[in-house]
């Protein structure tokens, strides 16, 4: 009898869970594919795009000698060197040269419009920028920031690749631009995430000591940690980021 009762409870529990798929609640256990796609969407620069795509199409991937789950997927050193700065920017923004199979659980993301996550999604589907690509970004950070701003103004969108590039080069100088973009593009909550990551990377004291930092990056945090989105939290993040910018600029 007890076994029958337990089985019945189990069935009722899972029936209630699956019933939420059509009317998702705040506590839903199901991810939001559309939200994940939006958060992982990249921005494609226009600079010599056809030329860069043609070079990428000719690449023959090289597997890692120790494992078939990783390797390099890159144009030759000669071809890379021949690219202009803008062409290298396009290449880096649409193609990550390193790949590694990642068996991580799909992103637990529901009610995304009500959350400010502490991390960005990858954007390159199990691929990552190589050392020469990150070197390019860092060695040309002023130009990279300028190209990103030009592209965002033109497209009205800051893809996850641009956000990762800004974090990679520690582009704190872009904070006023990012805050303006965040205000004009309320659907892109990852613009606020970007501000959080810049303050974290800069080890901004006021932020490091805050309850927000503890919740997002403390010992009990994880990849899916988030702050509830509301006007108060948005205003706090923006004002804190601008204060951080002014302090950095004054040094």
């Amino acid at each position: 009898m007890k076994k029958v009762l337990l089985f019945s409870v189990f069935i009722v529990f899972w029936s209630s869970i699956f019933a939420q798929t059509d009317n998702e609640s705040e506590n839903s256990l199901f991810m939001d594919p559309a939200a994940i796609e939006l958060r992982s969407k990249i921005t494609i620069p226009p600079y010599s795009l056809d030329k860069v795509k043609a070079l990428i199409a000719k690449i023959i991937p090289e597997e890692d000698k120790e494992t078939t789950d990783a390797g390099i997927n890159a144009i030759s050193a000669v071809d890379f060197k021949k690219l202009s700065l803008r062409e290298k920017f396009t290449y880096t923004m649409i193609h990550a040269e390193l790949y590694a199979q990642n068996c991580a659980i799909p992103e637990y993301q529901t009610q995304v419009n009500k959350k400010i996550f502490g991390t960005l999604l990858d954007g390159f589907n199990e691929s990552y920028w190589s050392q020469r690509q990150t070197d390019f970004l860092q060695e040309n950070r002023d130009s990279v920031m300028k190209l990103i701003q030009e592209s965002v103004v033109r497209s009205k969108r800051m893809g996850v690749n641009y956000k990762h590039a800004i974090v990679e080069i520690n582009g704190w100088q872009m904070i006023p631009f990012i805050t303006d973009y965040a205000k004009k593009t309320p659907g892109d909550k990852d613009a606020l995430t970007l501000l959080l990551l810049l303050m974290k990377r800069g080890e901004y004291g006021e932020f490091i000591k805050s309850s927000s930092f503890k919740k997002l990056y403390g010992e009990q945090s994880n990849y899916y940690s988030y702050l509830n989105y509301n006007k108060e939290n948005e205003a706090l993040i923006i004002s804190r980021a601008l204060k951080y910018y002014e302090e950095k600029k004054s040094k």
Side-chain angles (χ1 to χ4, degrees):
M1 181 66 180
K2 288 184 179 181
K3 289 183 178 180
V4 173
L5 179 60
L6 288 173
F7 181 74
S8 299
V9 171
F10 177 82
I11 293 297
V12 170
F13 172 76
W14 281 108
S15 295
S16 66
I17 290 296
F18 284 113
Q20 293 178 15
T21 57
D22 291 330
N23 186 20
E24 189 179 58
S25 68
E26 178 64 27
N27 296 318
S28 172
L29 298 180
F30 294 89
M31 62 184 179
D32 183 345
I36 294 173
E37 181 180 359
L38 181 63
R39 292 191 67 215
S40 60
K41 189 175 182 180
I42 68 172
T43 298
I44 300 176
Y47 316 115
S48 302
L49 184 58
D50 290 341
K51 174 183 176 180
V52 171
K53 283 185 174 181
L55 286 172
I56 294 173
K58 296 178 181 178
I59 293 175
I60 299 176
E62 297 180 18
E63 292 184 352
D64 189 295
K65 294 180 180 179
E66 297 181 0
T67 173
T68 58
D69 294 333
I72 187 165
N73 191 18
I75 61 175
S76 70
V78 173
D79 285 338
F80 186 79
K81 187 175 181 179
K82 287 181 179 178
L83 294 176
S84 68
L85 187 147
R86 290 189 172 217
E87 290 168 348
K88 286 178 181 174
F89 176 75
T90 296
Y91 174 71
T92 301
M93 289 302 104
I94 70 172
H95 181 77
E97 293 184 327
L98 300 181
Y99 66 88
Q101 185 173 334
N102 185 354
C103 297
I105 298 173
E107 286 80 2
Y108 170 65
Q109 297 178 67
T110 61
Q111 302 283 325
V112 171
N113 63 321
K114 297 181 181 180
K115 297 175 181 178
I116 305 169
F117 289 96
T119 58
L120 298 168
L121 295 187
D122 291 334
F124 285 113
N125 191 26
E126 300 184 342
S127 292
Y128 312 90
W129 284 323
S130 65
Q131 186 65 52
R132 74 174 179 182
Q133 288 181 303
T134 56
D135 285 347
F136 161 73
L137 293 174
Q138 292 165 359
E139 291 167 5
N140 298 278
R141 68 187 303 275
D142 289 344
S143 296
V144 168
M145 287 190 287
K146 182 179 179 180
L147 290 173
I148 289 175
Q149 290 183 67
E150 287 178 359
S151 179
V152 172
V153 168
R154 181 171 53 248
S155 67
K156 311 300 181 186
R157 176 71 187 168
M158 186 184 293
V160 67
N161 52 342
Y162 284 2
K163 295 184 181 82
H164 276 295
I166 293 169
V167 175
E168 181 66 39
I169 63 177
N170 191 18
W172 62 267
Q173 292 93 335
M174 288 187 66
I175 287 176
F177 180 85
I178 298 166
T179 57
D180 185 57
Y181 168 80
K183 293 175 182 177
K184 292 178 179 178
T185 318
D188 188 356
K189 301 296 188 294
D190 278 347
L192 300 175
T193 300
L194 176 56
L195 293 174
L196 294 169
L197 289 170
L198 287 173
M199 288 190 285
K200 177 177 180 285
R201 172 150 185 175
E203 298 182 346
Y204 179 42
E206 182 178 318
F207 178 52
I208 298 295
K209 297 174 184 177
S210 70
S211 58
S212 296
F213 182 88
K214 183 178 180 180
K215 183 174 183 180
L216 294 173
Y217 310 111
E219 293 182 359
Q220 302 302 316
S221 66
N222 57 53
Y223 183 76
Y224 310 112
S225 295
Y226 66 90
L227 302 176
N228 290 322
Y229 173 77
N230 52 53
K231 288 298 182 181
E232 291 75 18
N233 277 339
E234 178 183 47
L236 177 60
I237 292 170
I238 289 176
S239 63
R240 188 173 275 160
L242 288 172
K243 185 177 178 182
Y244 167 57
Y245 167 77
E246 291 296 335
E247 288 188 13
K248 287 282 288 184
K249 190 176 67 169
S250 65
K251 293 181 180 179

